[in-house]
Amino acid sequence: MALDLDTGLPSTRQIQTIIREETEVEMKLTTGDVLTGKVRWQDTHCICLLDPHEQPTIIWRQAIAFIKPKL
Amino acid sequence: MALDLDTGLPSTRQIQTIIREETEVEMKLTTGDVLTGKVRWQDTHCICLLDPHEQPTIIWRQAIAFIKPKL
Amino acid sequence: MALDLDTGLPSTRQIQTIIREETEVEMKLTTGDVLTGKVRWQDTHCICLLDPHEQPTIIWRQAIAFIKPKL
Amino acid sequence: MALDLDTGLPSTRQIQTIIREETEVEMKLTTGDVLTGKVRWQDTHCICLLDPHEQPTIIWRQAIAFIKPKL
Amino acid sequence: MALDLDTGLPSTRQIQTIIREETEVEMKLTTGDVLTGKVRWQDTHCICLLDPHEQPTIIWRQAIAFIKPKL
Amino acid sequence: MALDLDTGLPSTRQIQTIIREETEVEMKLTTGDVLTGKVRWQDTHCICLLDPHEQPTIIWRQAIAFIKPKL
């Protein structure tokens, strides 16, 4: 499963921008949970979100419905 | 994961038409959320929707149930 | 992702028959939605349903639970 | 997507036995629906169930939670 | 789809142990159902559970959330 | 299905750290269940969690929404 992220994809690039600019985001999961924080890293399986107390949550991509900048 | 969109598929082409014509659409997600707006881009993993205030939401394909023109 | 529909599969063929004969169908989605109409096309990712007003809905296969002729 | 059913797998073989012996089964779907009837065919994407009135329902495998003989 | 079970994986091996030792297990499905019984076989698509009356239920892996020994 | 875990991925490595340091974690599943305990092992299909009584639960990856250190 040594699949790399395709950095040419808009979705990959935009998440990279969100990481670099430390944008506050809101993530809606298929469980109905809404998590907010900053994205620290992404890989092919997961996205890691830091909550306001810098606690990391490792989120599986299959459980993500959408992500958007927090207003 | 350098998979390209297959632009020969009807689904890919119709989403491209929706993007080009800036059609207002309604998307139903598996979470039950209904999002409305214009599709800005699609790639193999995600579809990006702009809400009426031009705010982008990156939606994972696995969470999409259906998309249709808003009436 | 240039995967073609395998027209040798019973499921593909039966959907093709439904398209050709313009059979009125009922589709149950994993969201719980029940959509009715006629199937216009299918590809490897999606199935397009026309409602009674000829409005198209593009439905992602992953969200389909079942399809059956409307009685 | 010309993937054949692996007839060496226990699951494939048992569904084939259910088809051949016209066993009445109960299928629970991830939508919560419970469908009963006889399995007419299976392919890599779908399983077709006939209800007591011989009406076919094409069920996508991804939506199947379990199948068992109806008691 | 002639994919074999990878018997080197901890998950495959532990299910094999559960089968061999006829351990009573509890399975939680994504439907919310909790099934109990003994695992009779596993393949790449399904796991077969025998209920206390020796009735088999064929469970699709995609619908399994977790499995644990029944206490 | 002899796919190995890609130990170069941040997600794989962080789960390995959680295993090695015996960090108490909280896992949210797509069923809505929240399980707590220590991760004993991971493979490409599953993650095994030990509850406070050292009872193992084998959790399928597809059912995992997120994992985070228990505070």
Side-chain angles (χ1 to χ4, degrees):
Chain A
M1 290 213 300
L3 298 169
D4 291 324
L5 274 180
D6 183 346
T7 52
L9 291 180
S11 57
T12 307
R13 286 202 318 263
Q14 300 220 352
I15 303 291
Q16 287 306 124
T17 302
I18 283 169
I19 294 170
R20 201 176 50 240
E21 299 184 350
E22 302 194 357
T23 312
E24 195 89 14
V25 294
E26 191 178 295
M27 290 180 75
K28 175 86 180 238
L29 306 188
T30 56
T31 52
D33 289 294
V34 178
L35 305 180
T36 57
K38 292 173 183 175
V39 180
R40 183 179 264 175
W41 52 260
Q42 63 171 331
D43 65 21
T44 51
H45 299 312
C46 297
I47 285 179
C48 180
L49 197 73
L50 287 183
D51 75 13
H53 308 291
E54 300 282 314
Q55 293 300 318
T57 298
I58 302 175
I59 302 159
W60 265 259
R61 284 182 182 267
Q62 79 246 359
I64 304 175
F66 61 78
I67 185 169
K68 63 179 180 182
K70 201 176 162 223
L71 295 182
Chain B
M1 290 214 300
L3 298 168
D4 290 324
L5 273 179
D6 183 346
T7 52
L9 291 180
S11 56
T12 306
R13 286 203 318 263
Q14 300 220 352
I15 304 290
Q16 287 305 125
T17 301
I18 284 169
I19 294 170
R20 200 175 51 240
E21 299 184 351
E22 301 192 358
T23 312
E24 195 89 15
V25 295
E26 191 178 293
M27 291 179 75
K28 175 85 179 240
L29 306 188
T30 57
T31 51
D33 289 294
V34 178
L35 305 181
T36 58
K38 292 174 182 173
V39 180
R40 182 179 265 176
W41 52 260
Q42 63 172 332
D43 66 21
T44 51
H45 300 312
C46 297
I47 284 179
C48 180
L49 197 72
L50 287 183
D51 76 12
H53 307 291
E54 299 283 313
Q55 293 300 318
T57 299
I58 302 175
I59 301 159
W60 266 259
R61 285 182 181 267
Q62 79 245 1
I64 303 174
F66 61 78
I67 185 169
K68 63 180 181 182
K70 202 176 161 223
L71 297 183
Chain C
M1 291 216 299
L3 298 167
D4 290 325
L5 273 179
D6 183 347
T7 52
L9 291 180
S11 56
T12 306
R13 286 202 318 263
Q14 300 220 352
I15 304 290
Q16 288 304 126
T17 301
I18 284 170
I19 294 171
R20 201 175 50 240
E21 299 183 351
E22 302 192 358
T23 312
E24 195 89 13
V25 295
E26 191 178 294
M27 291 179 74
K28 175 85 179 239
L29 306 188
T30 57
T31 51
D33 290 293
V34 178
L35 305 181
T36 58
K38 293 173 181 174
V39 180
R40 181 178 267 176
W41 53 260
Q42 62 172 333
D43 65 21
T44 51
H45 299 312
C46 297
I47 284 179
C48 180
L49 197 72
L50 287 184
D51 75 13
H53 307 292
E54 299 283 313
Q55 292 300 317
T57 299
I58 302 175
I59 302 158
W60 266 258
R61 285 182 181 267
Q62 78 245 1
I64 303 174
F66 60 79
I67 185 169
K68 61 179 183 183
K70 203 177 162 222
L71 296 183
Chain D
M1 290 215 299
L3 297 168
D4 291 324
L5 272 180
D6 183 346
T7 53
L9 290 181
S11 57
T12 306
R13 287 202 317 264
Q14 299 220 352
I15 304 290
Q16 288 305 125
T17 301
I18 283 169
I19 293 170
R20 201 176 51 240
E21 299 184 350
E22 302 192 359
T23 312
E24 195 89 14
V25 295
E26 190 178 294
M27 290 181 77
K28 175 86 180 238
L29 306 188
T30 56
T31 51
D33 290 293
V34 178
L35 306 180
T36 58
K38 292 173 181 174
V39 180
R40 180 178 267 175
W41 52 260
Q42 63 171 333
D43 65 20
T44 51
H45 299 313
C46 297
I47 284 179
C48 180
L49 198 72
L50 287 184
D51 75 13
H53 307 291
E54 300 282 313
Q55 293 300 317
T57 299
I58 302 175
I59 302 159
W60 266 258
R61 285 181 181 267
Q62 78 246 0
I64 304 174
F66 60 79
I67 185 169
K68 61 179 182 184
K70 202 175 162 225
L71 296 182
Chain E
M1 290 215 299
L3 297 168
D4 291 324
L5 272 180
D6 182 345
T7 52
L9 290 181
S11 57
T12 306
R13 286 201 320 261
Q14 300 221 351
I15 304 289
Q16 288 305 125
T17 301
I18 283 169
I19 293 171
R20 201 175 51 240
E21 299 184 350
E22 302 193 358
T23 311
E24 195 90 13
V25 295
E26 191 178 295
M27 290 180 76
K28 175 85 179 240
L29 305 188
T30 56
T31 51
D33 290 294
V34 178
L35 305 180
T36 58
K38 292 174 181 173
V39 180
R40 182 178 265 176
W41 52 261
Q42 64 171 331
D43 66 19
T44 51
H45 299 312
C46 297
I47 284 179
C48 181
L49 197 72
L50 287 183
D51 75 12
H53 307 291
E54 299 283 313
Q55 293 300 316
T57 299
I58 302 175
I59 302 159
W60 265 258
R61 284 181 181 267
Q62 78 245 1
I64 303 175
F66 60 80
I67 185 170
K68 62 179 183 183
K70 201 175 163 225
L71 296 183
Chain F
M1 290 214 300
L3 297 168
D4 291 324
L5 274 179
D6 183 345
T7 52
L9 291 181
S11 56
T12 307
R13 286 204 319 263
Q14 300 220 352
I15 304 291
Q16 288 305 124
T17 301
I18 283 169
I19 293 171
R20 201 175 52 240
E21 299 184 350
E22 302 193 358
T23 312
E24 196 89 13
V25 295
E26 191 178 294
M27 290 180 75
K28 175 85 180 240
L29 305 188
T30 56
T31 52
D33 290 294
V34 178
L35 305 180
T36 58
K38 292 173 182 175
V39 180
R40 181 178 265 176
W41 52 260
Q42 63 172 330
D43 65 20
T44 51
H45 299 313
C46 297
I47 285 179
C48 180
L49 197 72
L50 288 182
D51 74 12
H53 308 291
E54 300 282 313
Q55 292 300 318
T57 299
I58 302 175
I59 302 159
W60 265 259
R61 283 182 182 269
Q62 79 244 0
I64 303 175
F66 61 79
I67 185 170
K68 62 179 182 183
K70 199 173 164 229
L71 295 184

